[in-house]
Amino acid sequence: MYYFKRYFLIIIIIVLILLNLIPTPYFLVIPGQAVNLSENITVENGEKDAEGQFILTSTAIIKANLLLYIYGFFDPNIDLKNRNDEILLNMDQKDYINIMEKLMQESQIISKVVALRKVGYSPEISGRGILINEILDNSPVKNKMLPGDVIIKIDEKTVHTLENFSEIIKNYSSNQIVRITFLRDNTAYSTSIPLIELPSTDDKKERIGIGVYADTKDLQCRFPLKIEIKLIF
């Protein structure tokens, strides 16, 4: 009996080591810290002791070996992402950091706009189209458009910002053909493509688009109040 327990324990240890060494094409997306931003955001004529909290949430991405994959599969708080399906996970680190920095800057502007609209203001937003950063493998614009192209029209509707683009696209349906006008090296081109259904998000609502990672080119906004965001942690 003693030898049986001993060999059983050795087998368990070997299995755990092997599970820890075997790689998978998956990443674990796990909940990160939640930071109270009350000390990081200053609004002109605002009150620091106002009721409620504004929390910045974050996530962490970890490469999953087989052991972590099994753990993540059974944990409802962890999301498993296939590296082959996530273009950002396959991106060069420098390009990834640049995109994340631009998205952070744009998210700060968007958060200001949403907050001001909530209290009755109408901030002016402007841009020069949407700049394509990366193209998904299943995108209908693949081999027709390139990273660096700037979309300026959907059919006959002018596109100024990413928000503007989303507002236009939501009036269409999946597989509907649209004509995209875009700039490449200051020369205008156009192409007709079908819209596709995008990967679902937590809200489970159907989303359609063209399958690209993009942001607003030269996004600018005129705010009626001075709002400072200092995100240094």
Side-chain angles (χ1 to χ4, degrees):
M1 189 67 175
Y2 169 77
Y3 289 106
F4 174 78
K5 290 182 177 179
R6 182 179 178 183
Y7 288 128
F8 181 75
L9 180 59
I10 291 174
I11 292 172
I12 293 296
I13 293 173
I14 292 174
V15 170
L16 290 176
I17 292 174
L18 289 174
L19 290 175
N20 196 52
L21 292 176
I22 298 174
T24 73
Y26 289 88
F27 281 76
L28 300 182
V29 182
I30 62 177
Q33 62 178 338
V35 181
N36 189 342
L37 295 178
S38 60
E39 299 301 320
N40 300 87
I41 298 177
T42 303
V43 180
E44 182 181 358
N45 301 322
E47 299 179 11
K48 282 288 185 182
D49 58 350
E51 292 184 5
Q53 289 185 328
F54 185 31
I55 302 294
L56 173 68
T57 58
S58 63
T59 57
I61 299 177
I62 302 174
K63 288 183 179 180
N65 53 37
L66 191 53
L67 183 62
L68 288 175
Y69 174 82
I70 294 171
Y71 174 73
F73 184 82
F74 290 102
D75 191 329
N77 298 314
I78 294 177
D79 195 10
L80 287 169
K81 294 290 185 181
N82 191 319
R83 183 186 184 96
N84 297 326
D85 295 334
E86 298 292 324
I87 193 168
L88 289 177
L89 298 179
N90 291 301
M91 198 177 294
D92 177 80
Q93 186 176 18
K94 183 178 179 181
D95 293 338
Y96 177 83
I97 291 173
N98 288 337
I99 288 177
M100 290 300 102
E101 287 179 348
K102 286 196 291 185
L103 289 176
M104 174 58 77
Q105 293 169 3
E106 187 162 328
S107 69
Q108 291 181 42
I109 294 176
I110 292 172
S111 66
K112 294 177 184 180
V113 170
V114 172
L116 287 167
R117 285 177 176 172
K118 188 69 174 179
V119 295
Y121 290 99
S122 299
E124 298 178 17
I125 307 172
S126 64
R128 298 171 56 196
I130 66 167
L131 175 65
I132 295 178
N133 294 312
E134 293 290 340
I135 299 173
L136 296 172
D137 287 338
N138 67 335
S139 171
V141 305
K142 192 173 180 65
N143 301 321
K144 293 185 176 183
M145 300 180 66
L146 299 171
D149 290 347
V150 179
I151 297 174
I152 56 173
K153 275 187 178 181
I154 300 294
D155 289 332
E156 297 304 316
K157 303 177 183 69
T158 302
V159 175
H160 298 288
T161 66
L162 197 57
E163 181 185 39
N164 181 211
F165 176 83
S166 299
E167 287 294 319
I168 294 172
I169 289 295
K170 75 179 185 180
N171 295 313
Y172 292 84
S173 57
S174 180
N175 296 318
Q176 189 170 351
I177 304 295
V178 298
R179 188 164 188 81
I180 294 178
T181 303
F182 61 95
L183 296 177
R184 180 183 298 167
D185 297 328
N186 296 319
T187 301
Y189 300 88
S190 62
T191 183
S192 295
I193 58 140
L195 297 173
I196 61 172
E197 186 175 347
L198 302 175
S200 61
T201 55
D202 292 339
D203 57 15
K204 305 300 181 184
K205 293 181 180 178
E206 181 188 51
R207 298 189 307 142
I208 60 171
I210 60 174
V212 300
Y213 285 99
D215 55 36
T216 301
K217 181 175 175 61
D218 299 331
L219 177 64
Q220 295 183 359
C221 189
R222 296 179 62 183
F223 297 114
L225 297 175
K226 183 179 180 181
I227 303 175
E228 293 184 355
I229 300 177
K230 299 177 181 179
L231 296 181
I232 302 177
F233 302 110

